[in-house]
Amino acid sequence: MDHMTHADLRSDTVTRPGRGMRSAMADAEVGDAVYDDCPTTKRLEAMTAELLGAEAALLFPTGTQSNLAGLMAHCGRGDEFIVGQAAHAYRNEGGGAAVLGSIQPQPLPNDPDGIIDLSTIAAAIKPDDFHNPITRLLALEDTFNGGCLADEYLVEATDLARNHGLATHLDGARMMNAAVATGREPAWIARRFDSVSLCLSKGLGAPVGSLLAGPRELIERARRIRKMLGGGMRQTGVIAAAGIYALENNVSRLREDHDRATRLAEIFHEFPELGAGQARTNMVFMSPSGIAMDDFTAFLVDRGIIVGGSYGTLRWVTHLDVDDEAIESVGRACKEYFDR
Ligand SMILES: *Cc1c(COP(=O)(O)O)cnc(C)c1O
């Protein structure tokens, strides 16, 4: 944020490490993590594996790389993975699975809650015929646009995949938001899947890092792939310390972000032109009508408020660096905008 910005609601990736996190980073004991010799990194990986009820976990620089390594650990060249066509792993990761993994995506429509219809999944699983690619994996995303996948859906979709011999991967970039919002243990969600990718750099507030968790054998395959993708980093203890700090301090507080998103939605609902939906965990989406979106966002920028947007939709995301006053400042700006 520059000095003029006091509410950056573009994404929960914009958080800056505070004093406690920085001091944990400064004091971190380090070694060479490529040699699996960095004590702080190993501690973060062990903590994450335990948190997610997995045998092992591995630190990656980004969630994009962690998802890709997960997909590549499951799927061989020419295999296929089923994925939502609005999912991050399909739409927002540069097509890496196809480009770098030689894995063919089979995208399927997501409903607004991130659900891919079960019969659509079943129909997309290719029969064993030499004409077809081998359908190897189902990838889901939770939270999806802030929304939590329902318990029954998590169970039914992963059961369906398993019954057809498919592996399952969860893009759980924000799965801790889902765990906090639904009251489920993170391991309850993660255990439905063969592998899970979790981001430390979103609502958890770390500057960098994602983890892939799963069975030890899969994680060892992912370690080789991580090296190939250029993600084998050395004294990662300094970033792992931030991750440990995030897991120890920033999980249960996600509830505050969810409450602030709820308050934000309440404010927006006073102005029907904004076309705001309900808060979903830490996000509120709006599709304004009858006002010029560019004019509205420029008005906000002048008041130090920035928001993300694409395709006629604005996305508001609450996080660690958005306090109650920031939320109320958005309310005042909206009122001023519509009072003109
Ligand atoms: C942020 C995000 C990722 C990973 O993104 P990186 O910026 O590469 O860490 C993956 N999936 C979802 C749903 C995300 O929001």
Side-chain angles (χ1 to χ4, degrees):
M1 281 196 299
D2 62 50
H3 66 286
M4 282 294 295
T5 305
H6 59 261
D8 187 345
L9 289 129
R10 287 173 298 171
S11 176
D12 46 10
T13 55
V14 302
T15 57
R16 292 166 173 209
R19 194 175 292 277
M21 185 178 279
R22 284 177 193 249
S23 114
M25 295 172 78
D27 293 341
E29 201 188 332
V30 299
D32 189 326
V34 172
Y35 292 124
D36 202 18
D37 202 21
C38 177
T40 309
T41 303
K42 284 164 83 94
R43 201 173 134 226
L44 170 65
E45 291 171 342
M47 266 177 82
T48 305
E50 191 184 341
L51 178 72
L52 300 182
E55 277 177 12
L58 188 65
L59 178 65
F60 286 81
T62 65
T64 297
Q65 196 177 83
S66 159
N67 273 335
L68 176 59
L71 296 176
M72 290 175 70
H74 287 291
C75 303
R77 182 159 193 256
D79 288 351
E80 173 179 80
F81 80 115
I82 293 176
V83 61
Q85 67 188 25
H88 199 278
Y90 175 63
R91 202 161 78 163
N92 302 106
E93 298 182 4
V99 176
L100 302 169
S102 298
I103 306 162
Q104 162 164 289
Q106 166 62 74
L108 296 176
N110 291 103
D111 81 1
D113 297 321
I115 285 176
I116 311 170
D117 179 65
L118 295 179
S119 57
T120 310
I121 295 174
I125 299 171
K126 313 288 182 286
D128 181 10
D129 175 320
F130 68 85
H131 294 86
N132 300 337
I134 296 169
T135 312
R136 191 69 77 185
L137 175 103
L138 171 68
L140 297 178
E141 182 178 315
D142 192 17
T143 63
F144 175 88
N145 283 342
C148 304
L149 294 181
D151 290 353
E152 313 80 74
Y153 183 75
L154 284 171
V155 171
E156 286 169 13
T158 51
D159 281 353
L160 170 74
R162 241 181 301 282
N163 292 339
H164 285 83
L166 270 60
T168 52
H169 173 77
L170 178 67
D171 178 356
R174 296 189 178 83
M175 68 163 289
M176 300 310 287
N177 292 81
V180 166
T182 60
R184 281 291 183 192
E185 289 297 324
W188 187 91
I189 300 171
R191 278 208 192 98
R192 313 286 128 205
F193 295 86
D194 297 307
S195 58
V196 174
S197 171
L198 166 72
C199 285
L200 300 170
S201 56
K202 303 281 167 82
L204 299 181
V208 64
S210 288
L211 288 116
L212 181 71
R216 190 167 308 283
E217 191 256 336
L218 185 92
I219 295 301
E220 287 315 312
R221 240 178 302 152
R223 188 188 299 279
R224 185 184 297 267
I225 294 163
R226 182 183 69 173
K227 189 75 184 92
M228 180 176 75
L229 296 174
M233 302 178 291
R234 304 295 176 174
Q235 284 71 34
T236 47
V238 285
I239 57 177
I244 292 170
Y245 185 93
L247 290 177
E248 284 177 344
N249 295 278
N250 294 345
V251 173
S252 57
R253 67 149 305 286
L254 290 171
R255 186 169 304 285
E256 296 174 32
D257 297 343
H258 302 173
D259 290 346
R260 289 195 177 101
T262 302
R263 169 70 188 136
L264 201 55
E266 250 171 48
I267 290 170
F268 293 149
H269 291 152
E270 292 169 31
F271 309 100
E273 299 92 329
L274 292 178
Q278 299 299 327
R280 296 156 167 244
T281 60
N282 67 332
M283 297 185 190
V284 183
F285 289 84
M286 58 168 60
S287 303
S289 55
I291 62 167
M293 204 163 92
D294 291 352
D295 177 57
F296 178 58
T297 53
F299 185 90
L300 295 172
V301 167
D302 286 345
R303 281 145 192 84
I305 297 159
I306 37 181
V307 56
S310 61
Y311 307 112
T313 298
L314 296 179
R315 185 182 80 158
W316 300 79
V317 188
T318 57
H319 52 75
L320 201 66
D321 294 345
V322 171
D323 59 11
D324 290 334
E325 168 47 28
I327 300 296
E328 296 313 315
S329 80
V330 174
R332 288 193 299 274
C334 291
K335 182 159 173 23
E336 202 189 328
Y337 184 81
F338 287 103
D339 279 352
R340 290 179 312 174

